Amino acid sequence: MGFSCGIVGLPNVGKSTLFNSLSTAKAEAANFPFCTVEPNVGIVPVPDPRLDAMAAIYSPQNLVPASIRFVDIAGLVRGASKGEGLGNKFLANIREVDAIVHVVRCFEDDNVTHVDGRVDPQSDVDTIQTELCLRDLDSVTKRLERARKQSKGGDAVEKVALVVCERLVAHLDGGAPARSFEYIDEKEESVAADLQLLTGKPCFYVANVDEESLANVDGNEHYLTLKKLAEAEGVKVVAICASLEEQISELDAEDQPEFLESAGLSEPGLNHVIRSGYELLGLITYLTAGEKECRAWTVQRGATAPQAAGVIHTDFERGFIKAEVIWWEDLVELGSEAKCRDAGKLAIEGKTYVVKDGDVIHFRFNV
């Protein structure tokens, strides 16, 4: 599926280093602004121990994890909304992604230049948010002008647009992102959806800390500043050391556990970033399992069984008859589908069944 997270932030905060660690598609990382001019795209597997558990049972020929797209977008700077620093191009790249991963520098290093000459998470976040709000304000203002003209003719949609855009202008002008705006009804939401507002996209923060801070991030004052900001916005913050993650990603799989242990980590911090992006987009995973293939499939939370079947093939949804569903933990505990059936752990579900994260499903269909 085409869900994507755009990695944004000021220049030299660790965006490309993070992307390099996430993906085998290497972006150039250098100590100067705008080293990433074209957005780099990486398809990243979603870590899922449940899939490994299925593999232990079935010994499949193929093992296919779920995946999510990460897009490395070049650093924004003050004035980007007016075209500064190739701002128009970068803002257009942000418009094309589904969610935003905002990387914020939370480490001191005299050898790595900060675009503003100092490390200040509050200022960095304000700069990015201000530029995105200004671009959204421009879009909403133009829509408001059109609504003022066309609502005079009695057009119902334009009347709604007039009201909601007036409130959105005041909201954005105050520096608040569109995702914190409260809509009265679905009609207002529909008007805003057509605008594709940058600050309306879901977002979480990645605090790029130094390696020493990993053992006690609450001892890092920059991280605490960012954490406070995130809590006020009601969004998540994930702490990683991007340079350490890049070292981990370059190791062979068999060498990673020892390195992680020496760094005091149970798993790469990137796993938390990937899972956070997946959750932010409202995605869940269901599994199909067999000797030929064990696979994780991505669906939106709230998807019904026929909709989940359609992810595999549209014919599955069109000719859906039923779904045979086993909870993954029951399958791991009992060791086979036959034993789950005998124990009453295999459920036959119909068209209204809402898929749960971790369901193991076999679809029956006829076309």
Side-chain angles (χ1 to χ4, degrees):
M1 301 180 76
F3 299 108
S4 60
C5 291
I7 303 174
V8 306
L10 293 179
N12 292 345
V13 297
K15 299 182 315 304
S16 294
T17 303
L18 173 63
F19 178 83
N20 289 346
S21 308
L22 283 166
S23 173
T24 54
K26 296 292 184 180
E28 179 187 359
N31 185 22
F32 56 86
F34 315 122
C35 63
T36 309
V37 176
E38 295 297 331
N40 293 271
V41 180
I43 309 299
V44 181
V46 179
D48 194 338
R50 298 170 301 189
L51 191 60
D52 297 328
M54 295 299 104
I57 295 173
Y58 291 93
S59 300
Q61 297 173 21
N62 293 308
L63 195 65
V64 185
S67 63
I68 186 171
R69 294 170 67 243
F70 280 89
V71 182
D72 179 25
I73 299 172
L76 296 178
V77 294
R78 191 172 290 106
S81 61
K82 302 300 181 184
E84 293 293 330
L86 303 179
N88 290 331
K89 187 177 184 63
F90 300 159
L91 289 167
N93 294 151
I94 295 173
R95 195 176 301 281
E96 294 171 359
V97 300
D98 301 300
I100 294 173
V101 182
H102 187 165
V103 182
V104 182
R105 178 172 169 175
C106 295
F107 67 90
E108 299 280 353
D109 187 341
D110 293 338
N111 295 317
V112 180
T113 304
H114 189 288
V115 69
D116 288 333
R118 69 188 188 287
V119 179
D120 185 345
Q122 173 80 60
S123 176
D124 291 359
V125 169
D126 287 347
T127 295
I128 297 295
Q129 186 153 292
T130 296
E131 295 306 321
L132 297 183
C133 281
L134 286 172
R135 176 51 63 93
D136 281 348
L137 185 60
D138 182 58
S139 298
V140 176
T141 300
K142 289 178 180 177
R143 181 67 181 90
L144 176 59
E145 291 172 356
R146 178 156 64 93
R148 282 174 175 159
K149 294 177 182 178
Q150 298 183 0
S151 62
K152 294 177 180 178
D155 188 298
V157 173
E158 295 304 316
K159 286 184 177 180
V160 172
L162 176 62
V163 174
V164 71
C165 287
E166 284 179 341
R167 289 169 40 230
L168 266 171
V169 164
H171 184 81
L172 292 165
D173 196 39
R179 59 180 167 270
S180 65
F181 184 80
E182 295 185 4
Y183 299 96
I184 294 176
D185 54 29
E186 292 181 358
K187 293 179 181 178
E188 288 195 348
E189 290 181 0
S190 177
V191 170
D194 289 341
L195 290 169
Q196 295 182 302
L197 299 177
L198 303 178
T199 62
K201 297 179 184 293
C203 171
F204 74 93
Y205 293 110
V206 169
N208 187 11
V209 302
D210 55 273
E211 186 175 344
E212 290 72 20
S213 294
L214 286 176
N216 179 28
V217 290
D218 286 334
N220 182 316
E221 62 177 282
H222 299 311
Y223 169 79
L224 291 178
T225 297
L226 182 60
K227 182 180 178 182
K228 185 177 179 180
L229 286 171
E231 289 175 346
E233 291 183 31
V235 300
K236 188 173 185 178
V237 57
V238 177
I240 68 163
C241 174
S243 60
L244 181 66
E245 295 296 327
E246 188 169 36
Q247 293 177 52
I248 295 171
S249 70
E250 292 173 348
L251 294 172
D252 293 332
E254 59 269 21
D255 295 329
Q256 287 190 11
E258 182 179 352
F259 188 90
L260 287 167
E261 183 178 357
S262 68
L265 300 173
S266 58
E267 64 175 349
L270 294 180
N271 288 3
H272 298 293
V273 175
I274 297 167
R275 292 191 192 110
S276 296
Y278 200 72
E279 294 168 3
L280 186 67
L281 291 169
L283 306 177
I284 64 170
T285 298
Y286 76 86
L287 308 164
T288 54
E291 293 181 358
K292 287 187 177 181
E293 179 181 87
C294 287
R295 183 165 184 159
W297 299 89
T298 299
V299 293
Q300 285 282 1
R301 187 175 300 279
T304 62
Q307 290 171 333
V311 173
I312 299 176
H313 197 287
T314 53
D315 284 349
F316 282 30
E317 181 174 7
R318 184 161 55 91
F320 178 88
I321 298 173
K322 64 181 180 180
E324 298 176 358
V325 183
I326 304 173
W327 180 238
W328 76 277
E329 288 180 332
D330 291 335
L331 183 53
V332 171
E333 181 180 349
L334 296 175
S336 72
E337 293 177 28
K339 289 181 179 179
C340 287
R341 183 179 289 105
D342 292 342
K345 298 295 186 180
L346 187 153
I348 305 299
E349 304 290 355
K351 293 182 178 180
T352 60
Y353 177 71
V354 177
V355 174
K356 298 193 298 293
D357 187 46
D359 278 345
V360 182
I361 307 179
H362 182 68
F363 295 105
R364 299 292 184 185
F365 70 101
N366 182 36
V367 291

